[in-house]
Amino acid sequence: MLSSIKLSPSSFTSTGFLPKRRSIPTPQFSPLPIIKSLHSAFPTQSFSSQKPLHVASIDNLAIPKNTQQRKTECQAYEADRSRPLDINIELPDEDARLEAAKRIKIGIYFATWWALNVVFNIYNKKVLNAFPFPWLTSTLSLAAGSLLMLISWATRVADAPKTDFEFWKTLFPVAVAHTIRHVAATVSMSKVPVSFTHIIKSGEPAFSVLVSRFLLGDSFPMPVYLSLVPIIGGCALSALTELNFNMTGFMGAMISNLAFVFRNIFSKKGMNGKSVSGMNYYACLSMLSLLILTPFAIAVEGPQLWAVGWQKAVSQIGPNFVWWVVAQSVFYHLYNQVSYMSLDQISPLTFSIGNTMKRISVIVLSIIIFHTPVQPINALGAAIAILGTFLYSQAKQ
């Protein structure tokens, strides 16, 4: 609050107060010095202030000799109501902070997804080398995930989804395709190296475009079709030069690609508008796939073969074999669960690029860990196929 103090020179002489004209220097800081003793400086003035005053401005305090009557204005304001400093303080932008946090979260999802997938492929191949029963191995993977999620729901670690009959009805064709894809990929890895299976599986975009074009009537821009050339050519080159080529393993990877396409088609058609999180969606998918797969696994392989194979594997590997089975089962569920959780946070294009990079890491690390012999021409075919997959993801943007 500003108050104006009117001072008259009649109560004092200018020669006694100011012997000569001088200018008062402008203060170099704010707030200005406090006037602590106004009554002693101006005893004849009648004013009172119970609060310290800061001088705001003083005009012509020096009184010329030839002026008999002159008023000097001194503006002041109370110390506890001091004027705000004219300083611009930039606060962190809330949107930028949230965007940075989201990027970190997505990065953690991707790193976890890739790491879990690599670990799964390593243990899965170890189990299949010692226990060549892919149908049972696939069943155990789905069973472990289903059990983990049931425990999570029962202990309230995760909220159970609210589903109805219509939800399970639309999920059923997705589960069928998911089951076929899972079993076919496991059969492939039981017959050929992990690297070869993933090289062939990098051809998934080609199957997606061809099925969508000829069965669904969808059309794509020319760059999408052109990106299929290196994908198909690279996979063909790798298959022709693979030292450990096996037709069952090759066909398993191809069937897995086809099932992957239909799983995505059924998911888009059936899950529109469903409010189930990615984690719970995959949990329900695993449970339904387990119910579908179990009778087929029993019919194809059977408990008798499993018992004989299990005893043989334990006798050769030892107790570590049990750990391998548990690890491959748990990590299979975890890496798929994280991938579905990632889909809640990112676009399909970003997910596709992340899936391509994940496949590269699996191929390279599996070759190193299992000492897989690779010819230069075979490596070239893999590189061409993966490059085509990346170009496909860019062309669809």
Side-chain angles (χ1 to χ4, degrees):
M1 176 185 298
L2 294 178
S3 60
S4 178
I5 304 174
K6 305 292 184 179
L7 302 179
S8 175
S10 60
S11 60
F12 57 88
T13 63
S14 62
T15 57
F17 183 73
L18 296 174
K20 61 180 179 179
R21 187 183 183 94
R22 69 177 61 177
S23 61
I24 299 176
T26 303
Q28 299 298 317
F29 58 88
S30 179
L32 296 172
I34 299 176
I35 302 175
K36 296 182 178 179
S37 182
L38 294 175
H39 289 284
S40 60
F42 308 106
T44 62
Q45 300 301 314
S46 60
F47 65 86
S48 64
S49 175
Q50 297 179 355
K51 299 178 182 179
L53 298 180
H54 288 280
V55 176
S57 65
I58 301 176
D59 296 323
N60 299 325
L61 183 60
I63 305 174
K65 293 181 179 181
N66 57 357
T67 303
Q68 297 299 321
Q69 297 291 332
R70 187 174 182 87
K71 292 182 179 181
T72 301
E73 293 186 0
C74 176
Q75 293 182 345
Y77 59 90
E78 295 177 356
D80 65 341
R81 298 184 182 181
S82 55
R83 297 173 180 176
L85 298 176
D86 188 15
I87 299 176
N88 293 328
I89 302 176
E90 294 185 0
L91 298 177
D93 185 43
E94 184 69 13
D95 293 337
R97 188 181 66 83
L98 293 176
E99 183 65 21
K102 182 179 179 180
R103 289 180 179 274
I104 294 174
K105 183 178 181 180
I106 293 174
I108 294 174
Y109 273 144
F110 268 38
T112 306
W113 175 27
W114 294 346
L116 292 174
N117 187 263
V118 170
V119 174
F120 158 72
N121 279 277
I122 292 172
Y123 279 110
N124 188 52
K125 185 59 178 176
K126 285 186 174 183
V127 170
L128 292 172
N129 286 340
F131 185 73
F133 295 93
W135 288 79
L136 177 60
T137 304
S138 302
T139 305
L140 293 175
S141 300
L142 296 174
S146 301
L147 180 61
L148 286 175
M149 289 309 301
L150 287 175
I151 294 175
S152 299
W153 293 339
T155 56
R156 302 295 179 89
V157 174
D159 295 331
K162 297 179 179 180
T163 61
D164 52 18
F165 176 77
E166 188 65 24
F167 170 84
W168 294 100
K169 180 181 176 181
T170 55
L171 186 64
F172 182 78
V174 183
V176 171
H178 178 71
T179 303
I180 295 174
R181 177 182 186 247
H182 179 38
V183 174
T186 308
V187 169
S188 175
M189 283 191 282
S190 69
K191 300 296 183 180
V192 295
V194 176
S195 57
F196 180 71
T197 298
H198 280 273
I199 291 172
I200 301 303
K201 289 184 69 176
S202 64
E204 288 173 352
F207 283 84
S208 178
V209 172
L210 295 176
V211 170
S212 299
R213 178 68 182 88
F214 293 105
L215 294 185
L216 302 179
D218 295 340
S219 60
F220 300 91
M222 184 56 64
V224 172
Y225 292 111
L226 293 177
S227 68
L228 302 183
V229 176
I231 294 176
I232 298 174
C235 290
L237 184 60
S238 294
L240 293 174
T241 58
E242 174 61 40
L243 296 176
N244 299 306
F245 181 82
N246 179 277
M247 182 56 70
T248 303
F250 174 75
M251 292 304 300
M254 297 289 282
I255 294 173
S256 177
N257 287 342
L258 189 62
F260 171 81
V261 174
F262 281 102
R263 188 190 71 174
N264 288 348
I265 293 174
F266 293 142
S267 296
K268 292 178 181 178
K269 288 187 174 183
M271 297 310 299
N272 289 334
K274 301 297 181 181
S275 58
V276 178
S277 66
M279 180 179 67
N280 284 334
Y281 177 77
Y282 181 71
C284 296
L285 183 63
S286 296
M287 294 175 187
L288 191 52
S289 295
L290 177 63
L291 295 177
I292 296 171
L293 177 58
T294 301
F296 287 96
I298 294 174
V300 174
E301 294 175 346
Q304 294 181 350
L305 293 178
W306 295 339
V308 175
W310 186 274
Q311 292 178 358
K312 182 179 178 180
V314 172
S315 63
Q316 292 178 348
I317 307 300
N320 285 337
F321 173 73
V322 179
W323 158 246
W324 293 356
V325 174
V326 173
Q328 73 91 25
S329 301
V330 172
F331 282 113
Y332 172 79
H333 173 79
L334 292 178
Y335 102 76
N336 276 285
Q337 186 180 77
V338 172
S339 70
Y340 272 83
M341 292 170 65
S342 300
L343 278 173
D344 286 344
Q345 306 292 328
I346 60 179
S347 66
L349 174 63
T350 305
F351 183 85
S352 178
I353 296 174
N355 193 43
T356 301
M357 302 304 295
K358 176 211 71 176
R359 206 173 296 285
I360 294 174
S361 63
V362 171
I363 291 172
V364 173
L365 290 176
S366 65
I367 290 175
I368 295 174
I369 293 173
F370 294 107
H371 306 286
T372 306
V374 179
Q375 294 180 341
I377 191 67
N378 185 261
L380 177 62
I384 293 174
I386 293 173
L387 175 62
T389 303
F390 177 76
L391 294 176
Y392 166 82
S393 64
Q394 295 297 309
K396 286 203 68 178
Q397 186 174 2

